[in-house]
Amino acid sequence: LIDAGEGIIRAIAKAATSHNQRLVDCFAPKKLTHLFITHLHSDHVVGLPSLILNPWIFGREKPLNVFGPRGTKNLVEKTLEAYRKDIHERIHGPEHTNHTGCQVIVTEIPAEGFVFEDDNINVTAFEHTHGTLQNYGYQLITPDRKIIWTGDGKASSSFLEAARGADVLVSEICTLENIGNSPWGGMSLEEKEKVIWSYHIKPQELAQLASQAKVKKLVLIHESNYSSPYNPQALLDEIKGHYSGEVISSRDGDVY
């Protein structure tokens, strides 16, 4: 899993029970054991308590392995402390839940480079500018795929190098045409542009990067779509004006 935002367990349940039940076993609670965090903005980690506790309550026996930037260990320790009484009751009360599935093994990533490897996948991190936070995108190599998950952040040389030849590039995107409608970043257009473009990528920048990297499939997530009246296709149309490759506006539960 990459990041643990709002409603992560419900989103996993939706994915597991969609697609003619083919993914039910893949997303069984006992298999939710590895999480890679891009950065520590609340919308990317607010679901962490649920990911730690709920799969454990429903049978996970292995600790949750969490990889993330500096500060991840503190976040996990404070989360476990906040739920200390709940954990104690479930272990020592009538449930007699196992002692291990609520444990968390944290690996803080000091710099870009190798992160994790097993028989199925190799994961490396690349630095990805997103305001002043330590922030990573992830390159995932499987026997037959190269997948890039950028999380939030701006275009950069490290992003471009990581994305070269990717089978799938999963990236956030923020509108340029409707940036004035943003509910955050300041009151004036100038303030919004200054703040938002220190955190996010413009459609034409993403299009140029994906073209230079020769990405085979571009999947949009975390869409900052501020069209008014709201048009769910607005960001897709905006980037298609700059990009001739395959690009998809994703929804929770999609499989690529």
Side-chain angles (χ1 to χ4, degrees), residues 4 25 44 52 57 64 71 116 130 139 141 145 150 155 163 174 194 206 208:
D25 183 61
H44 291 254
I52 294 172
I57 292 167
L64 177 65
F116 173 80
H130 186 52
Q139 176 181 268
I141 305 295
R145 292 286 187 276
T150 69
C174 182
K194 180 179 179 180
L206 179 57
Q208 182 180 21

Side-chain angles (χ1 to χ4, degrees), residues 83-251:
Y83 289 93
R84 180 176 54 83
K85 289 188 176 181
D86 172 77
I87 292 169
H88 183 274
E89 168 64 18
R90 293 186 188 280
I91 292 174
H92 300 286
E95 292 179 73
H96 295 294
T97 309
N98 68 74
H99 291 69
T100 52
C102 61
Q103 296 176 17
V104 184
I105 301 170
V106 177
T107 301
E108 291 194 346
I109 305 169
E112 62 181 8
F114 173 80
V115 175
F116 173 80
E117 185 175 31
D118 64 11
D119 293 339
N120 299 311
I121 196 166
N122 177 285
V123 182
T124 59
F126 61 92
E127 293 180 354
H128 195 32
T129 304
H130 186 52
T132 60
L133 284 176
Q134 187 179 35
N135 181 52
Y136 293 113
Y138 291 104
Q139 176 181 268
L140 306 102
I141 305 295
T142 74
D144 63 347
R145 292 286 187 276
K146 177 179 179 179
I147 303 159
I148 303 299
W149 185 284
T150 69
D152 293 358
K154 301 166 61 177
S156 66
S157 58
S158 59
F159 182 178
L160 174 61
E161 289 306 311
R164 290 194 186 279
D167 293 283
V168 182
L169 169 60
V170 184
S171 176
E172 65 124 344
I173 187 172
C174 182
T175 180
L176 177 62
E177 293 180 3
N178 296 293
I179 196 69
N181 297 329
S182 170
W184 71 283
M187 297 301 293
S188 69
L189 177 61
E190 291 74 17
E191 289 174 330
K192 291 176 181 180
E193 288 179 335
K194 180 179 179 180
V195 172
I196 292 172
W197 300 134
S198 69
Y199 286 103
H200 297 291
I201 192 167
K202 300 175 183 178
Q204 55 265 55
E205 292 173 337
L206 179 57
Q208 182 180 21
L209 187 146
S211 297
Q212 289 182 330
K214 294 181 168 45
V215 170
K216 297 180 178 66
K217 187 189 299 286
L218 176 58
V219 178
L220 307 179
I221 61 166
H222 207 317
E223 297 182 5
S224 298
N225 181 348
Y226 305 132
S227 56
S228 181
Y230 178 72
N231 173 11
Q233 292 290 110
L235 268 174
L236 188 61
D237 294 340
E238 197 170 336
I239 192 170
K240 282 185 174 180
H242 305 277
Y243 185 63
S244 59
E246 182 180 8
V247 56
I248 302 166
S249 175
S250 68
R251 297 291 182 268

Side-chain angles (χ1 to χ4, degrees), residues 44-63:
H44 291 254
V45 295
V46 73
L48 183 60
S50 182
L51 185 62
I52 294 172
L53 297 172
N54 282 318
W56 166 60
I57 292 167
F58 290 104
R60 185 181 66 207
E61 296 180 350
K62 293 182 179 180

